[in-house]
C-alpha cells in the first residue's frame, strides 16, 4: 500500500477554483487553478455558474495530481475551503442548479433585508445568529431564489431542492451527486447563512420560517474536521476521505495558527477579512462586527471569532485594470503608485457593493474625492492601495473596542501581501507590526490541516504551530501627526458615499 504523504486542499474561491497539494511540513507540492466567469446581469448583481465551478474543481484536482506526479493513493485526505455566503440551490434528483450561484458581493436582496428587518431593523436576528441583516449572507439569497424562480417554492416544499454554500456543492458532487452525494456543511459555513443558532450550532426553525426557507433544503451541520464521506463521482479521488471543511476566512485563521484568544489575521483577496479569535465565547459586537464560528475540531469545544468583512480590496485593483485600463496587470499598480510620494490628497472609497464592516450600508456607492488639477494616475493608484489599509484600520479599531484587547501584531496573508507599498502603509496606518508567513497560501493550508487532523496525518493544532514560520515583518515608520491626519480625511471621504441609492436611483436601476 502506498504511504500517505500528502493532503489535497480544494480552494473554491470567488474568482477561481484551486487544488493545492501539501506535504507534512505544510509546504506546497503542486497547484491546479482555473478561473470562472464573473456574471453581472444587473447593477449590484453578481453570479457564478455552479456547473462551471464544479468542472473547474475537477480540472484543478487533475492538474495538481499530475504536476505532483502522484495519484489518490498518496493522499491521506481532502479538505475543502470556499467563498462563503455564495448561495447555490439545486435539484437533488437531477443535480442541476435551478439558478446561478448568487455571490456574497451581490446586493439584490436589499429590499428583502428591509422587509425582514421591519420595525426592529438590522439586528432582528443578531442575538441568535450573530449577524446583522445584510445582503452579504446566504439566507436572504435562498429566499430570493425561491421567490423568483418559477416552481421553486413548490419543489422546495416537496423536498426536491438542496441548498449549500459552495463547500456544500463541491462536497455533494465529490461524494456522488445524485448517486448518494453527502449533503453536509461545517459550522463555519453554517454560521454565515443567518439561519444557524450561533450557540446551539443548529438550524434555527424560527429564523428559517421568517425567511420562508424549508429546513429540508439545509445541509447537516458537522464540525470542521471529521470524515464527511469519500470521493466517488470524481474518479481521481475515489475512496479518498473528504475530511475537512472551513469557510475561506476561518481556514486562513486556522492556517495562520491563530489558536489563542486575542490572536488575529487579515486576508487580502477579492475583499479583506480580519478575524480575531475570541476563544469559547461568542462575543456580540457593539461596533459593527460579525460574531462567527472560528472553527470546531471534531468533538473539541467550538472556537468563536469576531470578524470585520470588507467587500472591495483586491477587486478594486482588478477594476482599475479591467474597467479603466490604467494597468495591464495587477502587480503593475505598485509601480504606478510609487511614481508619487503620497496620495496627493486623493481618497478612493470603493463602496461598489455598499459598505460592509463596520458601517453595513447597502445604499452607499463608490467615490473618489479630493481631486485637483495636480493629481495624476499615480495618485489614483496610490489611493486605490491605501483604501485597503484604511478600511482595515476601521475594522481593527472596532475589534479592539469589542474585545478590549489592543492587537500587538497582525498576521496577514492573501495575494495583496506581495505589494510592499501596501504592507508598509498598512503597518504605518495601524501603528502595529504586520507579519506574513513563509507559506502565504494559508486559506488552502488551513483546510488541509483540518482534513489531515481528522485522519491522523497531523496530530493537532501543535503541528500547525510548529509548521508556521515568519516570512516577513513590516514595522510602523509613519509620523503620528501624518497618520492621524490622513486617517481623519479618509473617514471624511467615507461619509461622502452614504445614502447614495435613494428610491429614485433604485427604481431607475431596476
Amino acid at each position: 500500500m502506498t504511504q500517505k504523504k500528502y493532503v489535497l486542499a480544494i480552494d473554491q474561491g470567488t474568482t477561481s477554483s484551486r487544488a493545492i497539494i501539501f506535504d507534512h511540513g505544510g509546504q506546497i507540492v503542486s497547484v491546479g487553478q482555473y478561473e470562472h466567469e464573473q456574471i453581472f446581469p444587473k447593477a449590484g448583481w453578481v453570479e457564478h455558474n455552479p456547473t462551471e465551478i464544479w468542472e473547474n474543481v475537477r480540472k484543478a484536482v487533475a492538474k495538481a495530481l499530475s504536476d505532483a506526479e502522484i495519484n489518490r493513493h498518496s493522499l491521506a485526505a481532502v479538505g475543502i475551503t470556499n467563498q462563503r455566503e455564495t448561495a447555490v440551490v439545486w435539484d437533488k434528483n437531477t443535480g442541476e442548479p435551478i439558478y446561478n450561484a448568487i455571490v456574497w458581493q451581490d446586493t439584490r436582496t436589499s429590499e428583502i433585508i428591509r422587509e425582514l428587518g421591519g420595525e426592529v431593523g438590522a439586528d432582528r436576528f443578531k442575538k441568535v445568529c450573530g449577524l446583522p441583516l445584510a445582503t452579504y449572507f446566504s439566507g436572504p439569497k435562498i429566499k430570493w431564489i425561491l421567490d423568483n424562480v418559477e416552481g421553486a417554492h413548490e419543489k422546495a416544499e416537496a423536498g426536491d431542492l438542496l441548498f449549500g454554500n459552495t463547500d456544500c456543492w463541491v462536497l455533494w458532487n465529490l461524494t456522488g451527486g445524485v448517486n448518494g452525494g453527502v449533503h453536509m456543511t461545517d459550522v463555519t459555513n453554517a454560521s454565515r447563512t443567518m439561519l444557524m443558532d450561533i450557540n446551539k450550532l443548529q438550524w434555527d426553525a424560527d429564523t428559517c420560517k421568517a425567511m420562508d426557507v424549508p429546513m429540508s433544503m439545509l445541509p447537516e451541520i458537522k464540525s470542521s474536521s471529521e470524515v464527511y464521506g469519500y470521493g466517488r463521482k470524481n474518479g481521481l479521488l475515489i475512496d479518498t476521505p473528504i475530511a475537512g471543511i472551513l469557510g475561506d476566512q476561518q481556514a486562513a485563521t486556522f492556517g495562520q495558527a491563530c489558536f489563542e484568544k486575542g490572536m488575529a489575521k487579515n486576508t487580502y483577496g477579492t475583499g479583506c477579512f480580519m478575524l480575531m479569535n475570541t476563544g469559547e465565547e461568542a462575543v456580540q459586537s457593539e461596533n459593527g462586527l460579525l460574531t462567527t464560528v472560528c472553527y470546531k475540531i471534531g468533538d473539541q469545544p467550538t472556537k468563536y471569532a469576531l470578524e470585520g468583512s470588507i467587500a472591495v480590496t483586491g477587486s478594486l485593483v482588478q477594476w482599475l485594470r479591467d474597467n479603466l485600463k490604467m494597468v495591464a496587470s495587477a502587480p503593475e499598480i505598485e509601480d504606478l503608485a510609487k511614481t508619487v510620494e503620497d496620495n496627493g490628497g486623493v481618497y478612493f472609497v470603493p463602496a461598489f457593493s455598499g459598505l460592509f464592516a463596520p458601517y453595513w450600508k447597502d445604499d452607499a456607492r463608490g467615490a473618489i474625492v479630493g481631486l485637483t488639477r495636480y493629481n495624476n494616475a499615480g495618485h489614483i493608484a496610490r489611493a486605490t492601495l491605501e483604501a485597503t489599509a484604511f478600511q482595515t484600520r476601521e475594522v481593527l479599531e472596532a475589534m479592539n473596542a469589542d474585545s478590549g484587547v489592543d492587537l500587538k501584531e497582525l498576521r496577514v496573508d492573501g495575494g495583496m501581501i506581495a505589494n510592499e507599498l501596501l504592507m508598509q502603509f498598512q503597518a504605518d496606518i495601524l501603528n502595529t507590526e504586520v507579519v506574513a508567513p513563509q507559506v502565504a497560501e494559508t486559506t488552502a493550508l488551513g483546510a488541509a490541516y483540518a482534513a489531515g487532523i481528522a485522519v491522523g496525518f497531523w496530530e493537532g493544532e501543535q503541528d500547525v504551530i510548529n509548521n508556521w514560520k515568519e516570512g516577513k515583518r513590516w514595522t510602523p515608520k509613519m509620523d503620528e501627526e501624518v497618520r492621524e491626519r490622513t486617517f481623519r480625511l479618509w473617514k471624511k471621504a467615507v461619509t461622502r458615499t452614504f445614502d447614495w441609492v435613494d428610491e429614485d436611483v433604485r427604481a431607475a436601476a431596476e
Side-chain angles (χ1 to χ4, degrees):
M1 183 176 175
T2 306
Q3 184 182 359
K4 306 296 186 183
K5 296 181 179 179
Y6 310 105
V7 172
L8 170 70
I10 295 170
D11 181 357
Q12 201 301 291
T14 306
T15 57
S16 70
S17 298
R18 300 187 301 167
I20 304 181
I21 295 173
F22 294 95
D23 64 18
H24 196 270
Q27 298 297 308
I28 294 172
V29 177
S30 66
V31 180
Q33 179 172 3
Y34 294 91
E35 292 190 359
H36 53 262
E37 183 185 3
Q38 305 297 307
I39 303 166
F40 306 103
K42 293 184 182 181
W45 291 30
V46 189
E47 298 177 0
H48 295 154
N49 180 343
T51 303
E52 181 188 11
I53 284 174
W54 169 234
E55 290 170 352
N56 284 354
V57 166
R58 296 183 70 184
K59 289 193 295 184
V61 168
K63 186 174 191 308
L65 289 170
S66 175
D67 287 0
E69 297 184 346
I70 64 170
N71 60 28
R72 62 185 174 84
H73 296 292
S74 295
L75 297 178
V78 175
I80 299 171
T81 184
N82 61 293
Q83 52 169 325
R84 308 165 304 170
E85 308 96 13
T86 294
V88 186
V89 175
W90 68 96
D91 188 314
K92 72 178 186 181
N93 302 307
T94 66
E96 295 297 319
I98 67 165
Y99 190 80
N100 277 338
I102 301 182
V103 180
W104 57 273
Q105 301 155 309
D106 190 286
T107 59
R108 77 185 67 188
T109 58
S110 56
E111 195 56 43
I112 290 174
I113 293 301
R114 273 179 276 279
E115 290 173 1
L116 286 169
E119 294 181 1
V120 180
D123 290 345
R124 177 180 171 186
F125 305 106
K126 191 175 180 183
K127 284 188 177 179
V128 174
C129 67
L131 310 171
L133 270 164
T135 58
Y136 185 21
F137 306 112
S138 309
K141 296 183 177 77
I142 306 171
K143 177 173 172 53
W144 188 94
I145 290 173
L146 296 183
D147 288 350
N148 288 275
V149 175
E150 187 176 354
H153 262 298
E154 292 76 11
K155 279 190 171 184
E157 293 292 349
D160 291 329
L161 297 185
L162 301 179
F163 152 77
N165 294 337
T166 59
D167 67 300
C168 198
W169 170 245
V170 169
L171 175 66
W172 188 78
N173 279 292
L174 275 176
T175 54
V178 294
N179 298 309
V182 171
H183 189 220
M184 295 176 181
T185 191
D186 89 303
V187 288
T188 67
N189 273 286
S191 75
R192 313 301 294 191
T193 62
M194 296 199 74
L195 302 176
M196 187 186 81
D197 186 310
I198 195 79
N199 293 298
K200 295 178 181 177
L201 307 183
Q202 297 172 353
W203 300 120
D204 184 71
D206 290 339
T207 309
C208 291
K209 184 177 180 181
M211 295 196 191
D212 203 13
V213 174
M215 295 180 73
S216 61
M217 296 179 67
L218 305 179
E220 184 180 356
I221 301 172
K222 310 292 277 187
S223 80
S224 308
S225 178
E226 61 181 274
V227 176
Y228 313 107
Y230 295 84
R232 288 181 65 185
K233 185 175 181 181
N234 188 334
L236 293 171
L237 298 176
I238 193 166
D239 294 334
T240 308
I242 319 300
I245 299 176
L246 286 159
D248 53 9
Q249 304 313 318
Q250 286 91 338
T253 308
F254 200 84
Q256 284 274 37
C258 293
F259 300 134
E260 297 298 319
K261 185 176 179 179
M263 293 183 74
K265 70 87 204 176
N266 199 26
T267 297
Y268 299 76
T270 303
C272 218
F273 304 88
M274 187 186 297
L275 269 74
M276 176 184 280
N277 188 327
T278 60
E280 295 176 26
E281 181 186 3
V283 176
Q284 289 284 344
S285 175
E286 302 295 330
N287 295 279
L289 302 179
L290 310 176
T291 304
T292 196
V293 177
C294 195
Y295 59 88
K296 179 175 171 57
I297 301 304
D299 294 330
Q300 295 178 29
T302 306
K303 296 295 181 74
Y304 292 93
L306 282 169
E307 176 176 335
S309 309
I310 302 166
V312 178
T313 53
S315 55
L316 182 57
V317 176
Q318 292 174 327
W319 183 80
L320 280 195
R321 179 194 68 192
D322 299 339
N323 292 46
L324 297 192
K325 313 295 184 187
M326 281 180 58
V327 292
S329 66
E332 291 177 25
I333 193 169
E334 183 173 11
D335 292 333
L336 182 55
K338 283 180 176 177
T339 62
V340 294
E341 292 185 4
D342 55 36
N343 65 17
V346 177
Y347 293 82
F348 193 163
V349 186
F352 294 163
S353 302
L355 289 168
F356 282 18
Y359 299 101
W360 300 106
K361 289 183 175 289
D362 63 13
D363 54 5
R365 286 297 178 268
I368 302 175
V369 301
L371 289 170
T372 65
R373 284 289 297 273
Y374 163 72
N375 297 125
N376 59 36
H379 294 117
I380 292 176
R382 194 164 187 121
T384 296
L385 295 177
E386 290 182 357
T388 293
F390 284 131
Q391 290 179 99
T392 297
R393 173 164 169 181
E394 290 191 288
V395 166
L396 181 58
E397 288 189 346
M399 210 160 266
N400 288 343
D402 276 333
S403 68
V405 178
D406 286 337
L407 200 65
K408 297 298 187 289
E409 69 174 30
L410 180 65
R411 293 189 174 186
V412 297
D413 53 71
M416 294 182 82
I417 68 170
N419 192 304
E420 283 284 328
L421 189 152
L422 169 59
M423 288 296 102
Q424 183 57 53
F425 186 76
Q426 184 69 90
D428 287 341
I429 206 68
L430 293 180
N431 197 27
T432 299
E433 300 275 318
V434 171
V435 185
Q438 285 183 7
V439 178
E441 296 291 354
T442 54
T443 302
L445 184 56
Y449 280 138
I453 288 170
V455 299
F457 185 77
W458 286 292
E459 291 299 316
E461 287 95 326
Q462 191 57 50
D463 278 350
V464 181
I465 294 168
N466 294 343
N467 282 348
W468 191 92
K469 300 288 190 298
E470 181 176 319
K472 178 125 189 184
R473 181 178 292 263
W474 293 269
T475 300
K477 299 176 182 177
M478 185 178 284
D479 178 77
E480 178 71 15
E481 184 180 340
V482 175
R483 176 186 302 116
E484 295 313 308
R485 181 177 70 251
T486 55
F487 187 60
R488 174 177 55 83
L489 288 169
W490 162 262
K491 299 275 279 188
K492 189 176 181 181
V494 171
T495 64
R496 302 300 192 264
T497 72
F498 293 171
D499 305 318
W500 184 260
V501 181
D502 53 25
E503 290 309 313
D504 286 353
V505 175
R506 199 184 311 278
E510 293 174 354

